[in-house]
Amino acid sequence: MKLSIGKKPAIIPTPILIIGTYDSAGKPNVMTAAWGGVCSSDPLSISFSVQRTRHTHPALCEKKECTISIPSTQHVKEADYFGVTSGKDRNKFSDTGLTPVKAPSVNAPYVSEFPLVIECKITNIVSVGVHDLFVAEVVDVLVDDAYTTPDGKGDLSKIPFFFYHPLERSYYKTGEFLMQAFSTGSLFK
Amino acid sequence: MKLSIGKKPAIIPTPILIIGTYDSAGKPNVMTAAWGGVCSSDPLSISFSVQRTRHTHPALCEKKECTISIPSTQHVKEADYFGVTSGKDRNKFSDTGLTPVKAPSVNAPYVSEFPLVIECKITNIVSVGVHDLFVAEVVDVLVDDAYTTPDGKGDLSKIPFFFYHPLERSYYKTGEFLMQAFSTGSLFK
């Protein structure tokens, strides 16, 4: 039997997206978003939601370019700090000692110490309640060379990812391999 | 140093969303989507993307209501099957032996055996490449009574969730607790 628990953000897991922009003064800034994900395969696109009050919001609207850095468990505290502090008041890079690097293909900074970076160009902005949902086309993906094979391909299986649990408002590690997807086509017929 | 690996859906983890609708013949149908997540806090809304060729697509456009059931690791094979088979040809509930139940607040079925169900009303449809991105307001959330406390509140910490890894095209368990979110406000200042 099912019991109602009311309106809750009951999607588990949600990713940790570190959105990188230059603000109007040219200062590199980052904010953490858990409301986002892939939204189309072709052209490959990502959507993520940002409240209009956030310092990152005008930078996204004006520059129409950003990075999304994905942190590993090594930087869970820094990723959390990027979500609880505003770039209006602080320089989050100098506060945490992490390094902003200009992305090669878009006019936005990424976090050098984070293993995975998505370069994005914003193609649409959709108002949804208190948030704007930004739709962004993926321009390129960068992986730290600590996580590549000798022939130069990404080997992401070694990156210790983590995620946000929105009902517990806490972070968890990703866990063990279960099974290959798209493998059950004839299993139940 | 960072190396380019090209355009990849590099968001890890992505959730497993089982979208429930009644089709034009009134048959309960489900499909698996990994492209989706929360997209606004107020009114609490979810977005998810569905290709226009999918059997679920016209049902979403016509009925404007759906459920999103979140499976546990107990049903990883069934969740995968819901993504690789079309409701045009098959009855996925009878194929898998799982049970469709009419949701209390929306005109759509959910999967009785899955622990967590979000009831949704679609408020916007945005075209993004080959996908349509459906924005849906959360009407209510249901939890299986196996995962509630004696005073009737949800206790989701016991649900064994899993996620999809889009670069490996495989499923993984969620892992261990790392830390509470929103706890580092003064740590780096």
Side-chain angles (χ1 to χ4, degrees):
Chain A
M1 203 186 113
K2 296 282 188 290
L3 299 176
S4 163
I5 57 167
K7 300 178 188 188
K8 296 269 164 50
I11 291 190
I12 299 145
T14 67
I16 313 288
L17 311 176
I18 309 296
I19 301 166
T21 51
Y22 292 112
D23 73 7
S24 58
K27 183 180 75 177
N29 188 38
V30 275
M31 70 161 272
T32 309
W35 298 168
V38 181
C39 74
S40 186
S41 314
D42 185 21
L44 184 63
S45 300
I46 283 168
S47 66
F48 56 87
S49 293
V50 175
Q51 292 207 33
R52 288 176 210 100
T53 51
R54 300 297 296 258
H55 190 56
T56 293
H57 189 276
L60 291 168
C61 292
E62 286 158 24
K63 305 269 175 24
K64 298 273 173 63
E65 299 192 343
C66 68
T67 61
I68 297 175
S69 301
I70 313 270
S72 74
T73 53
Q74 195 187 336
H75 293 107
V76 57
K77 287 180 182 171
E78 288 83 352
D80 186 65
Y81 182 75
F82 291 163
V84 297
T85 311
S86 174
K88 275 172 200 153
D89 321 311
R90 309 290 309 179
N91 184 320
K92 300 187 200 180
F93 282 101
S94 57
D95 281 354
T96 55
L98 296 181
T99 315
V101 173
K102 157 85 176 63
S105 305
V106 298
N107 185 24
Y110 67 81
V111 184
S112 177
E113 289 80 358
F114 290 2
L116 193 57
V117 177
I118 306 169
E119 298 185 86
C120 296
K121 293 200 181 201
I122 292 160
T123 54
N124 199 358
I125 305 172
V126 181
S127 172
V128 185
V130 297
H131 282 85
D132 274 344
L133 185 154
F134 291 85
V135 178
E137 201 172 316
V138 174
V139 176
D140 200 5
V141 174
L142 310 174
V143 177
D144 202 273
D145 59 5
Y147 300 106
T148 49
T149 57
D151 58 343
K153 291 181 180 165
D155 181 11
L156 308 192
S157 61
K158 296 195 185 93
I159 303 178
F161 290 108
F162 65 104
F163 67 89
Y164 176 61
H165 188 316
L167 293 175
E168 296 188 9
R169 296 167 65 88
S170 54
Y171 303 111
Y172 280 78
K173 295 180 188 180
T174 55
E176 296 158 39
F177 177 84
L178 264 174
M179 60 173 261
Q180 206 61 35
F182 310 108
S183 63
T184 58
S186 57
L187 195 63
F188 294 103
K189 283 181 185 169
Chain B
M1 204 187 116
K2 296 280 189 291
L3 299 176
S4 162
I5 57 166
K7 300 178 188 187
K8 296 269 165 48
I11 291 190
I12 300 148
T14 67
I16 312 288
L17 311 176
I18 309 295
I19 301 166
T21 52
Y22 292 111
D23 73 7
S24 57
K27 183 180 77 176
N29 188 38
V30 274
M31 71 160 273
T32 309
W35 298 169
V38 180
C39 73
S40 186
S41 314
D42 185 19
L44 184 62
S45 301
I46 284 169
S47 66
F48 55 88
S49 292
V50 175
Q51 292 208 32
R52 289 174 209 102
T53 51
R54 300 297 296 258
H55 190 56
T56 292
H57 189 277
L60 291 167
C61 292
E62 287 158 22
K63 305 269 173 28
K64 298 272 173 65
E65 299 191 343
C66 68
T67 61
I68 296 174
S69 301
I70 312 272
S72 74
T73 53
Q74 195 186 338
H75 293 106
V76 57
K77 288 180 182 173
E78 288 83 353
D80 186 65
Y81 183 75
F82 291 163
V84 296
T85 312
S86 174
K88 277 173 198 151
D89 321 311
R90 310 290 311 180
N91 184 320
K92 301 187 200 180
F93 283 100
S94 56
D95 281 354
T96 55
L98 296 181
T99 315
V101 173
K102 158 83 177 64
S105 304
V106 297
N107 185 25
Y110 66 82
V111 184
S112 177
E113 288 81 358
F114 290 1
L116 194 56
V117 178
I118 307 168
E119 298 186 86
C120 296
K121 295 201 181 201
I122 292 160
T123 54
N124 200 358
I125 305 172
V126 181
S127 174
V128 186
V130 298
H131 282 87
D132 273 345
L133 185 153
F134 292 84
V135 178
E137 201 173 316
V138 174
V139 175
D140 200 5
V141 174
L142 310 174
V143 176
D144 202 273
D145 60 6
Y147 301 107
T148 51
T149 57
D151 59 343
K153 289 182 183 165
D155 182 10
L156 308 192
S157 61
K158 297 194 184 93
I159 302 178
F161 290 107
F162 66 103
F163 68 88
Y164 177 60
H165 189 314
L167 293 175
E168 296 189 8
R169 295 167 65 88
S170 54
Y171 302 110
Y172 280 79
K173 296 181 187 180
T174 55
E176 295 158 42
F177 176 85
L178 264 174
M179 62 172 260
Q180 206 61 36
F182 310 108
S183 63
T184 57
S186 56
L187 196 61
F188 294 101
K189 282 178 188 171

